[in-house]
Amino acid sequence: QVQLVESGGTLVQPGGSLRLSCAASGFTFSSAEMRWVRQAPGKGLVWVSSINNDSTSTTYADSVKGRFTVSRDNAKNTLYLQMTSLKPEDTAVYYCRRYTIAGTYNQGLGTQVTVSS
């Protein structure tokens, strides 16, 4: 079955950097559009970034544009999110999603990122 396992979240100071990973299995990773979404405390899920199957197209929410970079390694079935210049408002649980052609998705259990001094 489809499995998505996020990792890399931790406590980091404002201005710091962090790289999240999402290990995928149970489907053809190299064919799938992938996305990162996040949920801040007491808020709903918010889209952060998307990447197409061959990394030729990436998009970002305005709130993270210029600070976050999404990438993937299809040989390792892994999705990444490089985060720099982190702000307290980036504090959230970060989830990766795999989207199907039908528009449905699978989501991992998430990894907690806390930005605080």
Side-chain angles (χ1 to χ4, degrees):
Q1 72 277 21
V2 173
Q3 280 199 315
L4 299 167
V5 180
E6 301 92 338
S7 62
T10 189
L11 172 65
V12 61
Q13 291 189 340
S17 298
L18 206 56
R19 188 177 82 158
L20 305 183
S21 299
C22 171
S25 62
F27 63 100
T28 305
F29 182 76
S30 59
S31 298
E33 177 194 349
M34 300 295 292
R35 301 183 189 181
W36 286 99
V37 299
R38 68 185 182 184
Q39 185 167 28
K43 304 278 184 69
L45 283 164
V46 174
W47 168 75
V48 174
S49 181
S50 299
I51 185 167
N52 70 343
N53 66 307
D54 63 2
S55 304
T56 56
S57 176
T58 58
T59 51
Y60 300 92
D62 287 344
S63 59
V64 306
K65 200 171 294 183
R67 300 187 299 120
F68 289 11
T69 303
V70 63
S71 64
R72 64 193 295 161
D73 185 336
N74 285 347
K76 294 182 178 180
N77 287 356
T78 304
L79 176 72
Y80 302 100
L81 186 67
Q82 179 69 47
M83 306 186 293
T84 64
S85 302
L86 283 162
K87 306 174 182 180
E89 50 263 44
D90 294 318
T91 295
V93 178
Y94 285 72
Y95 302 91
C96 66
R97 286 183 176 178
R98 164 254 192 168
Y99 275 78
T100 69
I101 295 176
T104 60
Y105 64 86
N106 305 97
Q107 181 172 294
L109 296 179
T111 187
Q112 174 71 49
V113 173
T114 302
V115 184
S116 175
S117 54

